[in-house]
């Protein structure tokens, strides 16, 4: 089977990494190469809808070509391809005036992936543990789809702006966002699946820090580490349960 | 699950269902007997796509048509891919499952790669043996027959010792898989081979297949190629007159076989697609009832 293996290997190589003097018919090879580029570009436009709106089809096609050279698809599912697009975009001269696109790409990719994950909801039977044990021994397991990120740009607002239906609305909204953004600002983002649907929102630094802490420590330790006295665990817990941010309550013996 | 009762000697008629048509397909009553979706579009473990698929499967008998199994690959497919397909089949209980006589999996400089396209096979014993091995594994894991579709190809790999059809018939004999015959693919290949009579070639192709081997028929159109260029199987227009003629000949020779209209790019209005399906039904009815 080595001959066939070698033949298939050679065709794949010549499609993905075009080179002169291929043993295969040039016209036929060109069709497969064009198909690959078109499919890759289309896949990116689905996985990165905000980026697609921001940079347009032509530039997206350029980045699809670059990505194909460095990140080979290997799942048989284009939806899983594109993880390193933000890395490729970072520092690229074509985006010099639009540095926020890189963070938008990261958020697009994460949203696309977490939306595809299994639907989960809070395990109500674990709620009683809150009354049975002290907070030193209790942990909150957060929604496994929860994704947190920090950006210098209001990427949640940019993402929302690009869901507007008309081009004019989108451009107006984006212009306002850019005008209202000050240098050295920090924006905290929370994205997760609530049931079958995606929730993406800007959150305060306090909320961001709390989610980071409660994901790693017992309730008691996390409360001790959060320095802000304005934080109300009871209020947060109520909201978190309503919004499906928590998966379950764990006792330390079972964690 | 829909359980439409059909007149005797009528094939099931369906269409390929793509996302932009989803709402109309679910909201508008139609005379369709089944719809076909691309399996890989529903590989997500949850989310809105899952909900959509449940709705589709509730409204229509479903056919799962894969484009990425790469059954002819010398490099075996990933377990992960097969597990996802297996899960999808459990979830939807499809009436048909199919993919192509193509290869997709391999490596470049030691790194695993999936072609993202249907790449041509070498029609020889070596590739046949690989295809049999892979298809046996797939059919065993899925617990059901997988129908294999003939391919539109744009280049010929050296080393073939038999025709595509001989290859497919050998595959059928050794694995008991059914054939999904894409009539448009036969015509695209004939066009690209500069065949002077694609319809006659197609009819000869069809009549060379024993009865009861074809389990599904695909009908589609392809855009007119720029002068001198090859035709590409782009599924971007209505079924051509030649393809309708070939369909009539196929039904006349093989009888009622589930038939699907494929239209994947430059999608028309939903009703246009449904009308194409109804035209297929009319042809089948005429051929089967009035000769």
């Amino acid at each position: 089977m080595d001959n066939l293996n070698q033949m298939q290997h050679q065709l794949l190589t010549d499609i993905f990494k075009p080179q002169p003097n291929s043993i295969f018919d040039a016209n036929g090879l060109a069709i497969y190469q064009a198909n690959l580029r078109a499919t890759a570009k289309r896949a990116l436009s689905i996985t990165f809808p905000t980026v697609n709106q921001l940079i347009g089809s032509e530039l997206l096609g350029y980045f699809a070509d670059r990505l194909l050279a460095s990140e080979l698809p290997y799942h048989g599912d284009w939806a899983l391809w594109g993880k390193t697009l933000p890395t490729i975009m970072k520092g690229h001269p074509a985006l010099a005036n639009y540095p926020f696109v890189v963070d938008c790409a990261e958020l697009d990719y994460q949203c696309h992936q977490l939306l595809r994950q299994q639907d989960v909801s809070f395990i109500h039977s674990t709620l009683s543990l809150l009354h049975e044990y002290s907070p030193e021994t209790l942990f909150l397991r957060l929604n496994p789809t929860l994704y947190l990120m920090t950006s210098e740009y209001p990427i949640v607002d940019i993402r929302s702006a690009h869901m507007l239906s008309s081009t004019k609305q989108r451009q107006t909204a984006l212009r306002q966002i850019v005008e209202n953004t000050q240098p050295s600002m920090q924006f905290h983002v929370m994205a997760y699946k609530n049931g079958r649907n995606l929730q993406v929102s800007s959150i305060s630094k306090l909320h961001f820090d709390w989610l980071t802490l409660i994901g790693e420590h017992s309730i008691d330790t996390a409360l001790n580490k959060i320095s802000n006295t304005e934080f109300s665990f009871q209020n947060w817990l109520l909201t978190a349960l309503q919004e499906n941010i928590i998966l379950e309550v764990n006792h330390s013996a079972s964690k | 699950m829909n359980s439409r009762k059909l007149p005797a000697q009528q094939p099931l008629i369906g269409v390929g269902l793509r996302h932009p048509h989803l709402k109309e397909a679910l909201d508008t009553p139609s005379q369709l007997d089944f719809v076909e979706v691309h399996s890989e579009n529903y590989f997500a473990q949850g989310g809105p796509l899952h909900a959509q698929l449940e709705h589709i499967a509730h409204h229509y008998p479903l056919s799962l048509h894969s484009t990425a199994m790469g059954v002819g690959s010398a490099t075996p497919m990933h377990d992960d891919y097969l597990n996802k397909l297996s899960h999808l089949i459990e979830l939807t209980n499809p009436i048909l499952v199919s993919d192509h006589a193509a290869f997709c999996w391999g490596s470049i400089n030691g790194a695993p790669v999936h072609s993202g396209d249907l790449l041509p096979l070498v029609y020889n014993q070596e590739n046949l043996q690989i295809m049999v091995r892979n298809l046996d594994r797939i059919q065993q894991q899925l617990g059901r027959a997988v129908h294999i579709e003939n391919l539109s190809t744009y280049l010929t790999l050296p080393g073939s010792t038999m025709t595509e059809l001989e290859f497919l018939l050998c595959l059928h004999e050794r694995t008991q898989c059914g054939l999904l015959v894409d009539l448009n693919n036969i015509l695209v290949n004939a066009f690209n081979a500069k065949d002077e009579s694609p319809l006659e070639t197609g009819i000869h192709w069809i009549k060379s297949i024993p009865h009861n081997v074809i389990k599904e028929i695909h009908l589609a159109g392809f855009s007119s190629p720029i002068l001198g260029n090859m035709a590409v199987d782009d599924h971007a227009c209505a079924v051509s007159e030649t393809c309708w003629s070939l369909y009539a000949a196929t039904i006349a020779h093989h009888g009622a076989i589930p038939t699907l209209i494929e239209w994947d790019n430059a999608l028309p209005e939903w009703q246009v697609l449904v009308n194409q399906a109804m035209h297929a039904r009319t042809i089948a009815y005429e051929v089967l009832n009035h000769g």
Side-chain angles (χ1 to χ4, degrees), chain B residues 80-143:
Chain B
D80 182 50
Y81 178 96
L82 201 48
N83 291 337
K84 284 177 181 171
L85 182 60
S86 182
H87 178 68
L88 196 61
I89 288 170
E90 278 175 31
L91 195 72
T92 59
N93 189 26
I95 57 169
L96 298 165
V97 177
S98 57
D99 203 314
H100 305 76
F103 91 88
C104 302
W105 306 95
S107 64
I108 296 177
N109 298 330
V113 65
H114 186 280
S115 64
D117 201 350
L118 302 162
L119 300 182
L121 303 179
V122 180
Y123 300 124
N124 64 10
Q125 288 298 330
E126 188 183 4
N127 214 152
L128 180 64
Q129 194 177 328
I130 284 171
M131 188 110 178
V132 168
R133 179 196 69 194
N134 290 341
L135 193 53
D136 276 344
R137 174 190 167 208
I138 292 163
Q139 293 190 136
Q140 279 190 22
Q141 174 152 348
L142 301 182

Side-chain angles (χ1 to χ4, degrees), chain A residues 117-136:
Chain A
Q117 290 182 36
Q118 208 161 21
D119 305 331
V120 292
S121 56
F122 177 65
I123 303 169
H124 285 276
S125 59
T126 64
L127 194 59
S128 61
L129 293 173
L130 287 172
H131 304 293
E132 294 171 18
Y133 297 97
S134 67
E136 292 89 357

Side-chain angles (χ1 to χ4, degrees), chain A residues 74-78, chain B residues 38-41 43 65-73 75-78 81-82 85 98-106 113-119 138:
Chain A
Y74 65 93
H75 293 95
D77 181 356
W78 281 101
Chain B
H38 287 167
S39 312
E40 294 84 2
N41 288 348
F43 271 5
H65 186 50
S66 298
T67 60
M69 264 193 242
V71 190
S73 306
T75 301
M77 79 163 63
H78 293 187
Y81 178 96
L82 201 48
L85 182 60
S98 57
D99 203 314
H100 305 76
F103 91 88
C104 302
W105 306 95
V113 65
H114 186 280
S115 64
D117 201 350
L118 302 162
L119 300 182
I138 292 163

Side-chain angles (χ1 to χ4, degrees), chain A residues 218-231:
Chain A
S218 71
I219 295 173
D220 189 58
T221 306
L223 282 169
N224 287 334
K225 283 180 179 284
I226 195 90
S227 51
N228 194 311
T229 52
E230 292 173 9
F231 181 74

Side-chain angles (χ1 to χ4, degrees), chain B residues 6-184:
Chain B
L6 293 166
Q9 276 219 316
Q10 280 297 291
L12 298 174
I13 303 287
V15 302
L17 182 57
R18 306 295 169 250
H19 293 309
H21 288 147
L22 200 62
K23 189 171 186 318
E24 280 175 288
L26 295 176
D27 292 350
T28 315
S30 75
Q31 300 296 311
L32 298 171
D33 301 316
F34 72 106
V35 297
E36 189 164 279
V37 298
H38 287 167
S39 312
E40 294 84 2
N41 288 348
Y42 295 92
F43 271 5
Q45 293 178 297
L49 282 177
H50 249 226
Q52 285 175 8
L53 191 62
E54 284 174 17
H55 283 128
I56 297 167
H58 182 71
H59 275 70
Y60 296 98
L62 191 67
S63 168
L64 291 181
H65 186 50
S66 298
T67 60
M69 264 193 242
V71 190
S73 306
T75 301
M77 79 163 63
H78 293 187
D79 286 340
D80 182 50
Y81 178 96
L82 201 48
N83 291 337
K84 284 177 181 171
L85 182 60
S86 182
H87 178 68
L88 196 61
I89 288 170
E90 278 175 31
L91 195 72
T92 59
N93 189 26
I95 57 169
L96 298 165
V97 177
S98 57
D99 203 314
H100 305 76
F103 91 88
C104 302
W105 306 95
S107 64
I108 296 177
N109 298 330
V113 65
H114 186 280
S115 64
D117 201 350
L118 302 162
L119 300 182
L121 303 179
V122 180
Y123 300 124
N124 64 10
Q125 288 298 330
E126 188 183 4
N127 214 152
L128 180 64
Q129 194 177 328
I130 284 171
M131 188 110 178
V132 168
R133 179 196 69 194
N134 290 341
L135 193 53
D136 276 344
R137 174 190 167 208
I138 292 163
Q139 293 190 136
Q140 279 190 22
Q141 174 152 348
L142 301 182
R144 58 179 301 151
V146 174
H147 305 323
I148 297 295
E149 179 180 341
N150 57 305
L151 204 61
S152 289
T153 58
Y154 310 108
L155 54 79
T156 304
L157 300 186
S160 288
T161 56
M162 57 182 114
T163 65
E164 180 191 25
L165 182 54
E166 288 167 342
F167 183 90
L168 291 172
L169 293 176
C170 286
L171 182 70
H172 162 72
E173 272 181 28
R174 292 177 58 176
T175 65
Q176 299 308 305
C177 74
L179 296 191
L180 191 178
V181 174
D182 188 315
L183 301 181
N184 186 56

